[in-house]
Amino acid sequence: AGAGARAAAYLERAGDSAQRSGAYHSARVAFERALALLQAADEQAEAAISALRLKLGAIAWNLGDFPTAERALFYARDYARRANDSRAQATALYWLSRVAISRGDYAQARMLLAYSLPLARAADADTLAQVLYGVADVAWRVGDLETLHHYVTESLGLARALDNSTLELMSLNRLGTLAYAQGDLATARAYYRTCLDLAQTTGNLEREATALMNLGALAHRGGDPTAGRAYYRDALAHYRELGRSEQVVTALGNLAEANIDHGDLAAARANLREGLALAWRLGLLPRAMVMLFVYGHLLAAEGRMDQAADVLRLVLGHPATESQTRPQALAVLEQLGCPAEGAAADLDAVVAEILA
């Protein structure tokens, strides 16, 4: 290999190391520099270029740059098809499904994973564990809890056998959210505590933030918004450090709700405006719907009941709204004594009002 290829390989290893530690911006810089070196080299390097584009696509998704992610991932998928590379095809399709989920297109995500899963089963255990988690995660988004439990359990078993702590943490977290959704708060807390301990032991800042967020939700929903706010603020600081835009929005939404319940409506409105601005700019429709649910909750707390009901009906009727947000919106409508059917607010008008 020439000097360019050797330098590219060094940069790729540096990017891999940065990615494992959650330093996504550093990983992106390393992968982009490696890619530029390979593209400038005279030697044939299409396979290496495709592998780098696959990694770059995953990093771009983590950073909320979906157009870059899609371009890189479609390139990697198409090359993998031509090369008959099951592992790379399955991985590219998995990450494309993550883009679809972030945009609220759950049907597209399920279709991509339906293609990915048999390829993953023909590839290797690491790829299969990741794709199984993807199938479980989209099932969670649409409220298919039976499918969620089946696939996340299989993913967890493989992750543990492979000593893949990141996937183990992701699967344990999803089992915690399943227990939470089913009302088993003691089991959910046990899962989240296990996640926090393992994340701290392995130095996984992103998964630590997720555990803190979920422990905050347990405290908040358990009637202690003060403790919830403390957890949410810690999680938000971690997500900002990591550049995880989608999770920053989620943390801001949770913090806004806790501030509403704590009586600090001005802080809630500031959280809401920041979170919605980021979600809207990045095209994170499911997260935008969560922020609009929070807005409905805020309007109700301000005594603007009719406006609150219109916004909550908008959330209920939007296809990007996740399954766990719908019962929350219904519960607030019920508290307001308003029907779920009826006039709904206009999406663009509500967003413009909040961001004005």
Side-chain angles (χ1 to χ4, degrees):
R6 289 194 298 273
Y10 173 82
L11 285 165
E12 183 176 3
R13 289 194 296 273
D16 289 338
S17 178
Q19 182 176 14
R20 283 193 296 272
S21 67
Y24 296 118
H25 286 293
S26 297
R28 180 173 187 165
V29 169
F31 290 148
E32 286 178 340
R33 288 177 177 172
L35 186 61
L37 284 170
L38 284 177
Q39 289 173 326
D42 292 333
E43 54 217 280
Q44 295 297 314
E46 190 176 4
I49 287 172
S50 181
L52 269 171
R53 287 192 184 276
L54 182 53
K55 293 179 179 182
L56 183 59
I59 289 294
W61 173 81
N62 275 286
L63 292 172
D65 185 353
F66 304 137
T68 296
E70 284 186 315
R71 286 193 298 272
L73 293 168
F74 279 128
Y75 181 103
R77 182 206 60 182
D78 291 346
Y79 178 80
R81 279 179 177 170
R82 296 194 302 273
N84 198 28
D85 184 340
S86 297
R87 186 202 63 79
Q89 283 187 75
T91 303
L93 290 165
Y94 165 80
W95 286 110
L96 285 166
S97 81
R98 304 308 292 169
V99 175
I101 288 171
S102 293
R103 287 175 166 161
D105 192 343
Y106 307 122
Q108 173 76 356
R110 280 187 143 172
M111 182 189 73
L112 290 164
L113 289 163
Y115 286 121
S116 179
L117 185 56
L119 291 165
R121 291 196 186 279
D124 56 59
D126 274 305
T127 305
L128 178 58
Q130 183 179 57
V131 174
L132 288 167
Y133 173 80
V135 175
D137 189 56
V138 75
W140 162 249
R141 312 279 174 168
V142 300
D144 185 353
L145 301 188
E146 184 177 348
T147 298
L148 160 63
H149 185 267
H150 174 81
Y151 284 99
V152 80
T153 301
E154 188 178 356
S155 178
L156 177 60
L158 278 174
R160 283 175 165 165
L162 294 162
D163 197 23
N164 185 328
S165 63
T166 297
L167 265 176
E168 180 180 359
L169 282 161
M170 291 166 66
S171 298
L172 286 169
N173 172 70
R174 191 50 75 218
L175 285 170
T177 57
L178 175 60
Y180 183 90
Q182 294 173 330
D184 187 350
L185 302 188
T187 298
R189 183 174 288 104
Y191 275 123
Y192 297 153
R193 282 289 176 191
T194 299
C195 286
L196 183 61
D197 291 344
L198 180 57
Q200 291 176 335
T201 299
T202 58
N204 191 322
L205 190 61
E206 182 175 2
R207 303 320 304 175
E208 179 182 342
T210 301
L212 289 168
M213 185 98 85
N214 288 326
L215 288 166
L218 281 173
H220 178 198
R221 308 303 176 206
D224 189 351
T226 300
R229 289 199 304 177
Y231 279 119
Y232 294 151
R233 285 168 177 157
D234 287 345
L236 177 59
H238 288 342
Y239 287 137
R240 288 193 195 279
E241 180 182 344
L242 293 166
R244 293 291 276 115
S245 299
E246 190 166 355
Q247 280 64 35
V248 166
V249 175
T250 301
L252 285 166
N254 287 352
L255 186 55
E257 281 198 81
N259 278 322
I260 293 169
D261 292 338
H262 197 265
D264 192 346
L265 303 189
R269 185 172 285 276
N271 300 146
L272 169 65
R273 184 179 290 112
E274 182 186 355
L276 182 62
L278 184 56
W280 200 247
R281 177 170 61 83
L282 295 176
L284 299 168
L285 277 176
R287 301 277 68 77
M289 289 301 113
V290 172
M291 301 309 289
L292 292 182
F293 161 73
V294 175
Y295 185 49
H297 189 185
L298 176 61
L299 290 171
E302 292 174 339
R304 299 158 67 185
M305 305 305 183
D306 290 342
Q307 285 178 270
D310 290 348
V311 170
L312 292 167
R313 291 190 195 105
L314 164 63
V315 173
L316 280 175
H318 200 284
T321 300
E322 293 177 343
S323 62
Q324 60 268 33
T325 306
R326 296 181 191 280
Q328 293 176 307
L330 283 169
V332 177
L333 281 167
E334 185 176 343
Q335 291 167 12
L336 296 175
C338 297
E341 297 77 21
D346 177 76
L347 175 58
D348 290 333
V350 172
V351 171
E353 174 185 325
I354 296 169
L355 300 184

